[in-house]
Amino acid sequence: MREEALPEEEVMRILEEMRSKDLSYGRFFSTMCTLPHPIAVRAHQMFLETNLGDPGLFPGVAEIEARTVRMLGELLGCPDAVGYISTGGTESNIQAIRAARNEAGIKDANIVVPASAHFSFDKIGDLLCLEVRKAELDESLRVDLESVRRLVDERTVALVGIAGTTEFGQVDPIGDLAALALQRKIHLHVDAAFGGFVLPFLDGEWAWDFRVKGVSSITIDPHKMGLATIPAGGLLFRGQDCMSALETETYYLTKARQASLTGTRSGAAAAATYAVMMHLGQKGFRETVGYCMELTRHLVTGAKQIGIEPFVEPVMNVVTLKVPDPAGVREELMRRDWHVSMTREPHRALRLILMRHMTHENVDLFLRDLGDICTKSG
Ligand SMILES: Cc1ncc(COP(=O)(O)O)c(C=O)c1O
């Protein structure tokens, strides 16, 4: 650190220079985050210095968080669900599994997750000293129930189902997992970090949330399809008992007990989440999801026209494409300033997320480049 002060304008100049190196969302197909809604930015700025870790000092933002949790609970079929606004899907998943483990009180425990689970579950295994057992997927890349059944034993403290897998956007058979969880008296956590703000607004009925008896907790991220500012995650439990299994005494704060993972935590993202949910309402989210799904169909139709098939038919706004050499094609796309990612082996494909920031025009330009690259390489 410098000894002498640097004038504010000089510091700002350095920051602006660095900021100009950041890429902008317009050509991102690889991210599950997007530009926050303008009202989220306003709300975020308004609550910048608030600390939800000490709610007695900030009762206003604490009430906003409580109202947000209630709205999320309503959206997920359980208005009385309890929870909090976390920093994102990783924290929510950690906390859900930690609660399940604490509640079960079993030593040398394990959890059973789909092979498609987000890498946050590998961190969880490490952090909580749990064995993470990975169940196989069926041909539609949803978890195979028989494989889950085989992996469960008397030390299993949680099953995990995913509603919107990171790589393929698939929805696991949550009803079947829930039946197994109820039969074996095991916690079922649903990771809907991405799908939580998509599935409720798609046409058709999806049984995946608290309406399914046996679902104990859900991760749902406002900073993905919820259009809130980063870092906004959501963690909900069906009942207080499970959430209480996370509590520690705080001894110097305004609230005697705390269930969140972090101590000090910003109220800004909670306010941003609240603002977007209130402002858009279900109607606004239906329009947003409708727009992303329209782009998804446009991309898939265009890809098929140039001879490229999807790896699986998309359920939500996550598209995977079968191309001859995914790594080579991706490299060439990146060279042309398109930001795309790839799925893991053994299901290697090009992966594209159609978020709110994407436009029809850019999808068309992308398809033109993709067709050109594949023709040259094929
Ligand atoms: C299904 C799923 N769970 C968890 C996460 C982790 O979320 P975060 O990056 O907000 O910690 C992601 C991230 O993409 C995800 O897709």
Side-chain angles (χ1 to χ4, degrees), residues 23-31 338-339 353 355 357-358:
L23 310 180
S24 51
Y25 275 93
R27 292 168 76 96
F28 290 180
F29 284 104
S30 55
T31 173
W338 293 113
H339 299 272
I353 321 295
M355 296 298 287
H357 56 255
M358 189 45 65

Side-chain angles (χ1 to χ4, degrees), residues 6 23 47 93 110 130 173 178 196 225 255 265 321 326 368 378:
L6 197 62
L23 310 180
F47 285 87
N93 286 342
N110 67 70
L130 291 166
M225 286 293 286
K255 200 168 166 219
R265 59 194 180 97
L321 297 175
R368 207 181 59 192

Side-chain angles (χ1 to χ4, degrees), residues 171-241:
V171 182
D172 286 325
I174 303 298
D176 293 339
L177 290 171
L180 178 61
L182 285 172
Q183 186 201 356
R184 302 288 303 241
K185 296 191 171 50
I186 302 172
H187 184 113
L188 172 61
H189 175 63
V190 175
D191 181 358
F194 186 75
F197 274 101
V198 180
L199 288 168
F201 308 112
L202 282 180
D203 295 334
E205 289 289 311
W206 293 88
W208 64 278
D209 59 13
F210 288 122
R211 289 171 190 91
V212 180
K213 199 164 163 245
V215 170
S216 316
S217 55
I218 300 181
T219 288
I220 171 171
D221 275 1
H223 70 199
K224 296 189 169 71
M225 286 293 286
L227 309 182
T229 47
I230 297 171
L235 171 61
L236 277 91
F237 294 99
R238 185 186 287 277
Q240 182 61 51
D241 284 359

Side-chain angles (χ1 to χ4, degrees), residues 77-369:
C78 183
D80 295 329
V82 293
Y84 74 96
I85 302 302
S86 69
T87 53
T90 299
E91 179 182 338
S92 296
N93 286 342
I94 292 170
Q95 288 282 82
I97 301 302
R98 187 176 146 232
R101 192 228 21 209
N102 290 358
E103 225 190 356
I106 292 172
K107 285 226 174 329
D108 300 325
N110 67 70
I111 59 172
V112 179
V113 309
S116 53
H118 183 261
F119 57 79
S120 48
F121 288 97
D122 296 325
K123 297 182 185 177
I124 288 168
D126 189 27
L127 277 168
L128 301 180
C129 302
L130 291 166
E131 183 192 347
V132 180
R133 298 182 174 175
K134 296 192 177 169
E136 289 161 24
L137 307 182
D138 64 18
E139 66 285 351
S140 63
L141 305 180
R142 293 154 24 113
V143 75
D144 178 71
L145 198 71
E146 277 317 305
S147 176
V148 175
R149 223 187 279 281
R150 280 195 299 276
L151 292 173
V152 171
D153 65 16
E154 67 289 347
R155 297 199 179 285
T156 305
V157 293
L159 303 183
V160 174
I162 309 169
T165 56
T166 311
E167 287 155 290
F168 292 92
Q170 292 297 89
V171 182
D172 286 325
I174 303 298
D176 293 339
L177 290 171
L180 178 61
L182 285 172
Q183 186 201 356
R184 302 288 303 241
K185 296 191 171 50
I186 302 172
H187 184 113
L188 172 61
H189 175 63
V190 175
D191 181 358
F194 186 75
F197 274 101
V198 180
L199 288 168
F201 308 112
L202 282 180
D203 295 334
E205 289 289 311
W206 293 88
W208 64 278
D209 59 13
F210 288 122
R211 289 171 190 91
V212 180
K213 199 164 163 245
V215 170
S216 316
S217 55
I218 300 181
T219 288
I220 171 171
D221 275 1
H223 70 199
K224 296 189 169 71
M225 286 293 286
L227 309 182
T229 47
I230 297 171
L235 171 61
L236 277 91
F237 294 99
R238 185 186 287 277
Q240 182 61 51
D241 284 359
C242 205
M243 173 108 163
S244 300
L246 292 172
E247 283 182 357
T248 49
E249 284 179 25
T250 57
Y251 59 83
Y252 68 93
L253 300 175
T254 50
K255 200 168 166 219
R257 300 181 72 76
Q258 188 174 81
S260 56
L261 184 61
T262 57
T264 301
R265 59 194 180 97
S266 168
T273 304
Y274 177 79
V276 183
M277 290 183 79
M278 289 295 282
H279 182 60
L280 288 186
Q282 304 228 15
K283 195 161 168 253
F285 276 108
R286 221 169 281 122
E287 276 166 22
T288 301
V289 169
Y291 173 79
C292 296
M293 290 309 293
E294 222 286 287
L295 281 183
T296 302
R297 284 188 289 273
H298 187 61
L299 176 66
V300 171
T301 308
K304 285 181 178 171
Q305 278 163 2
I306 53 173
I308 297 169
E309 290 295 317
F311 206 91
V312 282
E313 281 301 327
V315 170
M316 47 185 79
N317 46 330
V318 178
V319 175
T320 45
L321 297 175
K322 281 190 225 166
V323 291
D325 165 24
V329 172
R330 177 180 182 232
E331 206 181 304
E332 182 55 27
L333 283 167
M334 302 284 272
R335 223 183 46 75
R336 299 185 190 199
D337 196 25
W338 293 113
H339 299 272
V340 298
S341 57
M342 275 190 306
T343 55
R344 282 174 280 187
E345 293 292 0
H347 306 294
R348 202 51 123 195
L350 221 51
R351 167 182 176 267
L352 301 109
I353 321 295
L354 283 300
M355 296 298 287
R356 185 73 190 80
H357 56 255
M358 189 45 65
T359 59
H360 280 84
E361 194 191 357
N362 272 2
V363 169
D364 287 338
L365 290 173
F366 170 80
L367 283 167
R368 207 181 59 192
D369 276 342

